[in-house]
Amino acid sequence: MVHKRFVSTLVAVMMVAALFVPFTARAQSLSGEMEIFSWWSGDEGPALEALIALYNSKYPDVEVINAAVTGGSGVNARAVLKTRMLGGDPPDTFQVHAGQELTGTWVVAERMEDLTFLFEEEGWFDTFPEGLIDLLSYEGGVYSVPVNIHRSNVMWYNPAKLAEWGIEAPATWDDFLAVCPTIQEAGVTPLVVGEAWTVNHLWESVALSVLGADGWNAFWAGELDPTGDEMQAVWNTFGSVLDCSNIAEDAASLSWQQATDRIIEGTAAFNVMGDWAAGYMVTTKGLVPGEGFGWQASPGTQGVFLMLSDSFGLPVGVANRDNVIEWLRLLGSVEGQDAFNPLKGSIPARIDADTGNADLYNAYSQSAAADWAMDTVVGSLVHGAAANERFGNDFNSVMEIFLASRDAAATTTALGVICIQSGACG
Ligand code: GAL
């Protein structure tokens, strides 16, 4: 007969042992599928694919379905996501921007699981910046895991071409407007824009330069009149900048990558785009930062970091919840962030990541990390941090009014209306 005390000791030992092997046990037991929904396909795919490869090396029995819907800034993916979420067919996990795009859209509708347990297990409340955790949080819960920090307000150029044309990157929009005729005389587009969302993307950097970080924040806090003089000045400056662009020519037919290509070839001088452009120029085009391309904060925004963060969450009621939890655990880890970010052009969201490691992080990433640490941080409108989805969609109509009329007063009146309707501006 087995002694009772022996049995209880054995049980205790097994329980303690179980505490120390959960990772291995989980790895062995995970199987089935996991659908990852995002807009990272084609040229935007390599960073996500590296993360998926890492996941598969740990969980070889899970079949990952990489369901990416092409289209810069998620314009197409978000529409598909909405249909699926409303139709009761959520992907197992999906890309979503930290901030209002997450909380104001899916969390308020109770479509996302609270991930506080995971943040506690992984110690993430100490390893992600407080301001970022705030963007992921709603009424005491935290709802997605950030994989990166991207910067929106970056101006890109080709150093060799600038030297050839005898110009420098402009510190202010006035400087840009002053040099615009010289560039045009050389037969070059001074500033290249692409399809509609990239025009909005330019707008947020121009607005930030005119309003400053305080004014930008005041706008979202309801403390800056959307129809007032400051906002009219934003639209007036924006109009002058657009006059030095290809907006009236072929902008609408260009993806952000094609707009970036014009900088590389030297048919356009400048481009304002998020730092996924660095990822594209390094990972896809094989260029060396500082040689093949140069960068600076977009004019008039030095010292301000217009941020956004890509994250993934766990929708309520998905089929492969356990597989997703390990996916989220991986993408929030140093190992996951180091697999993803060097290819993506973004920097890790974790404060303990080793961005100083030049084997992993190139000169662009290192400069972004230094700015992220020093600058005043504000949230992007176009990439979901500052504004809810209603505002983001309606802003497209405001932009159409401006492009058709070039009337700053009429445009700000429309902006005032969408502020009220969306409740996004305070
Ligand atoms: C942003 C996203 C980036 C990048 C970009 C261009 O919204 O946060 O990671 O994918 O769109 O598509």
Side-chain angles (χ1 to χ4, degrees):
M1 201 181 97
V2 183
H3 199 278
K4 252 188 171 169
R5 201 157 129 209
F6 174 74
V7 172
S8 54
T9 309
L10 189 67
V11 168
V13 167
M14 284 166 67
M15 282 169 69
V16 170
L19 283 178
F20 288 98
V21 289
F23 196 77
T24 325
R26 268 194 309 259
Q28 282 162 359
S29 63
L30 289 186
S31 62
E33 296 181 338
M34 174 176 60
E35 185 190 17
I36 301 172
F37 186 90
S38 78
W39 57 89
W40 290 331
S41 67
D43 291 331
E44 288 221 66
L48 176 64
E49 283 151 22
L51 208 45
I52 292 174
L54 187 59
Y55 181 85
N56 269 147
S57 72
K58 294 179 191 293
Y59 307 108
D61 296 333
V62 176
E63 188 196 337
V64 175
I65 300 163
N66 183 354
V69 175
T70 314
S73 90
V75 277
N76 304 327
R78 270 196 299 277
V80 174
L81 178 68
K82 190 174 217 165
T83 311
R84 290 191 53 175
M85 292 290 277
L86 299 183
D89 176 30
D92 290 319
T93 183
F94 64 86
Q95 175 189 1
V96 62
H97 288 125
Q100 282 295 318
E101 187 179 311
L102 168 74
T103 54
T105 310
W106 301 119
V107 178
V108 289
E110 299 181 352
R111 303 309 305 151
M112 305 304 288
E113 273 201 41
D114 182 356
L115 300 172
T116 301
F117 75 95
L118 192 57
F119 275 66
E120 278 169 354
E121 281 172 25
E122 296 298 313
W124 286 341
F125 286 112
D126 298 322
T127 53
F128 290 121
E130 215 181 310
L132 180 57
I133 291 182
D134 287 348
L135 288 177
L136 309 170
S137 301
Y138 181 76
E139 291 186 347
V142 52
Y143 288 92
S144 69
V145 180
V147 68
N148 67 2
I149 300 292
H150 265 309
R151 187 176 195 176
S152 167
N153 60 320
V154 190
M155 175 173 254
W156 308 95
Y157 55 88
N158 179 337
K161 292 289 173 183
L162 294 201
E164 191 182 312
W165 303 320
I167 59 170
E168 286 181 358
T172 64
W173 285 115
D174 280 346
D175 291 350
F176 169 76
L177 295 175
V179 83
C180 165
T182 315
I183 306 172
Q184 280 169 329
E185 276 154 29
V188 172
T189 308
L191 184 80
V192 60
V193 287
E195 57 183 320
W197 74 266
T198 73
V199 179
N200 297 353
H201 185 103
L202 170 66
W203 184 87
E204 70 177 7
S205 274
V206 174
L208 183 61
S209 78
V210 175
L211 302 176
D214 288 347
W216 180 256
N217 287 336
F219 176 66
W220 300 110
E223 290 155 9
L224 185 134
D225 180 1
T227 67
D229 289 348
E230 290 113 315
M231 198 48 95
Q232 290 200 27
V234 167
W235 288 98
N236 283 327
T237 303
F238 182 63
S240 306
V241 169
L242 277 187
D243 288 339
C244 288
S245 80
N246 59 327
I247 188 80
E249 293 146 34
D250 56 358
S253 68
L254 299 180
S255 67
W256 69 263
Q257 291 97 330
Q258 289 169 320
T260 306
D261 289 345
R262 298 222 170 151
I263 303 297
I264 302 170
E265 311 151 358
T267 49
F270 300 107
N271 178 33
V272 172
M273 188 38 61
D275 51 12
W276 41 91
Y280 171 67
M281 289 188 276
V282 173
T283 307
T284 305
K285 295 285 169 178
L287 299 178
V288 175
E291 294 174 22
F293 66 94
W295 67 90
Q296 64 166 27
S298 60
T301 66
Q302 292 81 356
V304 186
F305 196 110
L306 184 54
M307 67 77 69
L308 58 121
S309 169
D310 293 303
S311 71
F312 285 80
L314 176 58
V316 171
V318 297
N320 301 298
R321 184 176 182 277
D322 291 349
N323 295 348
V324 175
I325 289 171
E326 296 321 308
W327 164 251
L328 298 177
R329 205 186 297 278
L330 179 66
L331 65 85
S333 69
V334 171
E335 188 187 14
Q337 307 228 326
D338 279 348
F340 181 88
N341 287 293
L343 297 171
K344 188 67 171 62
S346 43
I347 52 172
R350 290 183 68 118
I351 52 184
D352 57 349
D354 186 12
T355 43
N357 179 351
D359 291 338
L360 278 179
Y361 292 98
N362 64 36
Y364 173 74
S365 304
Q366 297 206 359
S367 86
D371 290 350
W372 171 243
M374 295 286 295
D375 283 2
T376 303
V377 175
V378 297
S380 162
L381 147 66
V382 178
H383 306 281
N388 61 28
E389 201 180 57
R390 174 84 198 263
F391 183 96
N393 289 338
D394 290 354
F395 187 79
N396 294 327
S397 310
V398 174
M399 182 60 77
E400 278 164 21
I401 291 171
F402 181 73
L403 295 179
S405 69
R406 292 299 186 105
D407 180 338
T411 306
T412 56
T413 303
L415 188 65
V417 172
I418 74 162
C419 271
I420 293 166
Q421 285 176 341
S422 65
C425 331

